[in-house]
Amino acid sequence: MRVPLSWLREYVDLPATETGRDVQAKLISAGLEVETVEHLGADLKGPLVVGQVLTIEELEGFKKPIRFCTVDVGRANGTGEPQEIVCGARNFSVGDKVVVVLPGATLPGGFSISARKTYGKTSHGMICSSDELGMGDDGTHGIIVLPPETEVGKDAIELLELVDEVLDIAVTANRGDCLSIRGVARETAIAYGLPLRDPALLDVPGPNAYGYPVKVSDPAGCDRFTARTVTGLSPEARSPIWLQRRLQKVGMRPISLAVDVTNYVMMELGQPLHAYDRHQVQGTIGVRRAQEGEKIVTLDGVERKLHAEDLVITDDRGPIGLAGVMGGADTEIADHDPSEEGAGATTDVIIEAAHFDQVSVARTARRHKLSSEASRRFERGVDPQAAAAAAQRTVDLLVLLAGGTAEAGVTEVIAPGAPHTITVAADHPDKVAGVTYGRETVVRRLQEVGCDVYGQDELIVTVPSWRPDLTDANDLAEEVIRLEGYENLPSTLPRPPAGRGLTARQRLHRRVGRALAGAGYVEALNYPFVSEQVFDQLGLEADDPARRVVKLANPLNDEEPALRTSLLPGLLAALRRNDGRGSHDLALFETGLVFQPRDAAKVAANLPVDRRPSPDDIAALNAALPDQPRHVAVVLAGAREQAGWWGKGRPADWADAVEAARTVAREAGAELRMRKGQYGPWHPGRCAELTVTVDGAERVVGHAGELHPRVVKTLGLPARACAMELDLDVLERVGDTVPQAPSISTFPVATQDVALVVDAFVPAADVEAALREGAGELLESIRLFDVYENAEQLGEGRKSLAYALRFRADDRTLTVDEASAARETAVALAAERTGAVLRG
């Protein structure tokens, strides 16, 4: 919200010496985030005056149209003679009043003006556009043409209000009242301890039977609708300079008088309004939910298909506006076209000032991707009591500026309702802040924000209509604390109990991170939000549990409304992004929470703030949350080992992803088993299913391997990209993190090598498992050291796996016969289970 200081001073008598920086400090202390103070016209220096164009000579022979003008600037140039100026703009004529900057002046940006020869003429100054004066967009993209009654020679800096200070406030979602000059003025008055001249305190006529007919069919969506009618507007009437400048300073573009007035009142009072061309409205104005499939063309010229939840404004033809978001093109205010002598210009208008449901407006705006100044305010909360005053203010301005006549009819449709009251202990803010404020201070501060307060030890507080964010006792406590000053709260450091370090879970997470970093992986932290379309891109089955997601009620991005059930979408997006920026050799990892919805949804209760939550409170809160296991995942692409004088290097492959899983399991002290698998995004022939034993039963905890080519293509990933994901919490559960000292035997090892020929589709892990079981207790370790494939020697579809088996006994030196017997038993079991045959 941009707030001009000159406009703010209309409602609060700030000391003349107060600058924008001073007001910024006060508002920040009161809890408003004033990001910047913009100094308009800080580097502007006159003379800048009003001139009248006397003659225009078209200069020929140049690539673009150039005009040589003489302009009467009165006595501003010291001589009274016409000023000769070269100008390329075409939107002014002889007799027009324009803004002229004379030699010796400086325009915004440090642009100095002097007499100079150009296009064969000497130009003594410049005729100015709004952009050149730093005024913002006025919609003309040309020279400023002033009203005919403007005095020649008048100081244009004062006329156009070019020097001002504008506060840029980042209004939080709960402070919709501060999206208006009225709301910011109230906060300023409180901060300075000064009275407020409330612009909404107007004499408003009561409703009568002569107003324009309105029917509200959905009072839950629209609890207040005010309609007023103004007739006889002059088609030639234009917004005065002061009104245009105020709109420009708050960041809006002047359009036409009727539209400018509604925008002005919205910025002033915070109440969005809409003006309808009365001759284009057919029959009764209605408010209802849209019928599925209905269509409307909005003011931006886009035809929109409506949803059954959309709240719409209608007439006898159907929808003529999206309630609280944007009006329809059918009833748009038509501006005057001078070339058509007022033909088609709007002369009679219906003013709508209504109060719509916050949630309904927010959903409609997001559903249609149509954010507007009106929807921003309705989403954050609008004062329903201000509707009648805003309509009256609009009527008054149209009568004053456009010569219109306010009809006597006043329509007000109001749904029954009562003010919101809160019961709060007088010392509740003291308990929340840890500071003794006292009842008098609490009552005074609540009254300053507009509350009616009754009671002694227990206060009954009636919340003002412009503060819908005040819903419970803690909100009232926050108001007292912020107005008393956050900086006045004592700084108390918590006292951690002695002897408590990291938990076992935290230590495991750190060890896993260090181990993966040591293995060459770089940690990537990603947002936990995903779109449901990513599950199709990953090739998950329709009934896959990973497709069950927790959806956010208020997502940061409408395209990613769900919480992740896997770390891979974020990691793969980071892989794609980095590869697209020229980093092709990548190894990334992430440890983080995934979110799995519970079968029975529960609603979390509000925790107390005056005491420490009990274990039951925390347990109830956790029970309302989704399951949040911690996963670890890695992705790889490009070269795993770089080429150099030491060797040719090698690309990353599925074995690296499997080894990353082994690294994590070693840190957790868990026994991880691998077997051939097929799941989701992984290549069916290069995917390892990772399992552990939990309570005597085997459980799948993850997968590792090369990604499916279809997934690689769909996601735009580097070729042969690999990935791994594990449930770290399950590994922690089955792991043994007690350090194990290596056993050092005094007896020698007996090494036996064995080469087995198996079918190419047989996993090496199955052969290794059979050898390990068959070798028995004497086997110390087993290692696959060679894989050989040769159709001529081994046969088509066959491969040779060579293993090194190490045997050792704790109490004796093994004989050759004992080692050989263990080897033969291992080979026999492998032959039985996998069809392995000794090679050669």
Side-chain angles (χ1 to χ4, degrees), residues 206-286:
N208 53 50
Y210 309 108
Y212 197 91
V214 173
K215 179 181 179 182
V216 177
S217 303
D218 190 341
C222 175
D223 58 7
R224 184 179 294 263
F225 195 106
T226 300
R228 300 288 299 275
T229 304
V230 180
T231 59
L233 300 181
S234 170
E236 291 80 17
R238 290 292 174 265
S239 300
I241 293 174
W242 64 265
L243 192 150
Q244 294 187 45
R245 287 297 294 133
R246 285 192 169 178
L247 289 178
Q248 288 173 328
K249 289 176 184 179
V250 298
M252 303 191 76
R253 179 171 63 87
I255 298 174
S256 63
L257 178 57
V259 176
D260 291 349
V261 166
T262 58
N263 286 337
Y264 177 85
V265 174
M266 176 179 68
M267 301 308 296
E268 182 181 53
L269 302 182
Q271 168 67 52
L273 302 109
H274 190 70
Y276 300 93
D277 187 325
R278 182 176 182 178
H279 298 296
Q280 301 299 324
V281 178
Q282 299 181 10
T284 301
I285 292 177

Side-chain angles (χ1 to χ4, degrees), residues 107-174:
L107 294 182
F111 182 59
S112 298
I113 302 299
S114 60
R116 63 190 184 97
K117 190 169 184 178
T118 179
Y119 298 102
K121 300 285 187 178
T122 300
S123 181
H124 299 273
M126 188 169 73
I127 302 176
C128 298
S129 68
S130 59
D131 287 339
E132 290 163 340
L133 296 179
M135 295 170 56
D137 184 13
D138 65 354
T140 64
H141 302 290
I143 294 303
I144 301 171
V145 178
L146 300 172
E149 64 273 13
T150 310
E151 179 186 349
V152 171
K154 183 178 179 63
D155 183 2
I157 295 179
E158 179 183 350
L159 175 69
L160 299 177
E161 301 177 11
L162 297 178
V163 178
D164 202 350
E165 292 181 279
V166 178
L167 285 70
D168 192 351
I169 304 175
V171 179
T172 54
N174 65 318

Side-chain angles (χ1 to χ4, degrees), residues 205-457:
N208 53 50
Y210 309 108
Y212 197 91
V214 173
K215 179 181 179 182
V216 177
S217 303
D218 190 341
C222 175
D223 58 7
R224 184 179 294 263
F225 195 106
T226 300
R228 300 288 299 275
T229 304
V230 180
T231 59
L233 300 181
S234 170
E236 291 80 17
R238 290 292 174 265
S239 300
I241 293 174
W242 64 265
L243 192 150
Q244 294 187 45
R245 287 297 294 133
R246 285 192 169 178
L247 289 178
Q248 288 173 328
K249 289 176 184 179
V250 298
M252 303 191 76
R253 179 171 63 87
I255 298 174
S256 63
L257 178 57
V259 176
D260 291 349
V261 166
T262 58
N263 286 337
Y264 177 85
V265 174
M266 176 179 68
M267 301 308 296
E268 182 181 53
L269 302 182
Q271 168 67 52
L273 302 109
H274 190 70
Y276 300 93
D277 187 325
R278 182 176 182 178
H279 298 296
Q280 301 299 324
V281 178
Q282 299 181 10
T284 301
I285 292 177
V287 184
R288 62 169 171 83
R289 298 289 172 176
Q291 299 174 9
E292 191 69 41
E294 278 188 310
K295 295 181 179 179
I296 183 176
V297 178
T298 46
L299 288 174
D300 57 357
V302 177
E303 182 179 77
R304 303 180 185 277
K305 186 176 180 181
L306 301 179
H307 188 276
E309 291 186 3
D310 291 335
L311 192 67
V312 293
I313 310 298
T314 65
D315 64 3
D316 291 350
R317 296 167 296 178
I320 59 173
L322 284 172
V325 180
M326 186 173 285
D330 290 343
T331 56
E332 181 179 8
I333 298 295
D335 199 7
H336 168 60
D337 186 348
S339 65
E340 299 182 7
E341 298 182 355
T346 298
T347 57
D348 301 340
V349 298
I350 302 171
I351 305 300
E352 166 210 304
H355 184 260
F356 300 111
D357 177 60
Q358 293 178 242
V359 175
S360 176
V361 172
R363 288 178 175 173
T364 298
R366 295 189 181 193
R367 189 179 297 118
H368 295 284
K369 295 181 173 57
L370 188 61
S371 179
S372 64
E373 291 290 343
S375 68
R376 286 183 63 224
R377 284 160 176 79
F378 279 122
E379 288 175 21
R380 289 159 175 79
V382 168
D383 181 4
Q385 302 291 340
Q392 181 63 46
R393 176 74 164 140
T394 304
V395 169
D396 292 344
L397 287 173
L398 288 176
V399 170
L400 174 66
L401 302 177
T405 301
E407 289 196 351
V410 178
T411 303
E412 265 196 302
V413 179
I414 303 175
H420 180 55
T421 60
I422 303 171
T423 301
V424 58
D427 61 349
H428 183 68
D430 300 5
K431 293 180 179 179
V432 174
V435 176
T436 302
Y437 292 121
R439 179 188 177 280
E440 289 74 15
T441 299
V442 171
V443 171
R444 175 171 57 84
R445 288 302 190 183
L446 292 179
Q447 288 175 340
E448 284 178 348
V449 299
C451 298
D452 290 330
V453 186
Y454 303 95
Q456 292 298 320
D457 294 338

